[in-house]
Amino acid sequence: MTDALTVSVFKCTNCGRPYGLDFGRAGCPVCGGIVDLSQPLVFDPNRIDPHARGLWRYRHTFPLPADAEPVTLGEGGTPLVPIEVGGRGVNFKLEFAEPSGSFKDRGMALMFTALRAIGVSEAVEDSSGNAGAAFAAYAARAGVRARVFVPEAAAGPKRAQIAAYGAQIVAVPGPRSKAAEAALAAVQSGAHYASHVYNPIGLAGNATAAYEIWEQLGRAPEAVLLPVGHGTLFIGLHRGFLALRAAGLIPRLPRLIGVQALACAPLWAVRRYGREGLAMVSEADTLAEGIRVVRPMRGDAVLAAVAESGGDLLVVDEPAIRAGHNALARLGLYVEMTSAVVWEALAELSGDIVVILTGSGLKTPAA
Ligand SMILES: [Zn+2]
């Protein structure tokens, strides 16, 4: 093991305890707090690797040992495509063009690079969605045995994708929360939890989307619009733009604007009504199943990013999601329903906007 593996790259946001890359729990084992990156990300334009592809161009920003061999499927480097919408130019960032079909690959590439560097041979996750698919893809690439806890009722293309990568699927009866509990029980008995929510390394991967937008536009946009569930991409973008600002490369942060489905909009509710707003949050069925997160684990960080960037949180209803899905497809952008929440929100905003299209329409169950 190199020294870099033992340094504390993470820390508990509650008690401040340091953790290394071998952190594989739901939260701080001592106090239960959320574990985050221990330092702000540092971006140095002179250290962009011109010979590397995709997000590995920004390797100098990653909390990884210098000698760790990347576990990569060619993630990052997604297109930024300008398209005229309603008489104005909008830049769409095509995250659905990632290797497993969603932005989650950015975080999982770093996660599995770390896991392989520290010699983890088996890991668990509890997502039946894009995170589960990315987890299974990178586990296959890394040669790590993968176990994914999913609700028994979860079906459709994403579950099929997880199974095809060779991950063991553990179907848990009951609602989604039961699958999470089963994963936690496995973690309690020693399994390594490679969670896209609890393990903060993915935030450094997601931040690369900000660096790419800056490189592709030659500047930061006025605003970035994206769906938000747990908010790991939202927070990653915030950290990435903070690093660009700290490096003197952009004068101010873009406004970060997150969209939730009205059926399940806890972050929007707190932003509008304060903590009392949580009382009115439902976990109703929604077409945007990828952001149906009633208790976002890093919600405070999302709200802080909204406030610091002068951003906002918006909601859209189910007809707007379906209409957005159709409208985007007619522009040649075939995204999953979750990604389509941005469409109606886009109409409410003006100015220079980058819209992040998070997941592929090929993952949408047939109607
Ligand atoms: Zn703690």
Side-chain angles (χ1 to χ4, degrees), residues 11-17 19 27-35:
K11 76 168 182 213
C12 174
T13 55
N14 185 47
C15 74
R17 263 188 187 72
Y19 292 99
C28 172
V30 177
C31 78
I34 291 288
V35 172

Side-chain angles (χ1 to χ4, degrees), residues 168-310:
Q168 180 196 350
I169 290 184
V170 182
V172 182
R176 199 176 185 138
S177 54
K178 292 292 173 193
E181 284 170 23
L184 287 176
V187 170
Q188 290 298 341
S189 56
H192 189 97
Y193 196 12
S195 166
H196 68 293
V197 176
Y198 293 105
N199 190 311
I201 197 165
L203 301 177
N206 292 347
T208 61
Y211 314 146
E212 286 179 15
I213 289 168
W214 169 74
E215 277 206 277
Q216 288 168 316
L217 284 178
R219 59 184 166 78
E222 288 172 22
V224 180
L225 179 64
L226 64 154
V228 55
H230 273 296
T232 56
L233 180 57
F234 200 91
I235 298 164
L237 286 164
H238 180 227
R239 305 282 173 87
F241 285 117
L242 282 174
L244 291 167
R245 189 180 67 177
L249 299 169
I250 61 173
R252 68 189 72 81
L253 301 177
R255 300 173 60 212
L256 295 175
I257 301 170
V259 191
Q260 301 209 287
L262 187 57
C264 184
L267 293 166
W268 170 81
V270 170
R271 165 110 175 132
R272 282 289 175 283
Y273 305 110
R275 297 284 155 188
E276 298 79 55
L278 287 174
M280 54 169 273
V281 173
S282 69
E283 193 182 4
D285 276 336
T286 171
L287 291 165
E289 40 88 21
I291 52 171
R292 186 169 171 244
V293 177
V294 74
R295 210 167 285 110
M297 286 303 158
R298 296 181 189 274
D300 290 343
V302 173
L303 293 165
V306 169
E308 191 177 358
S309 72

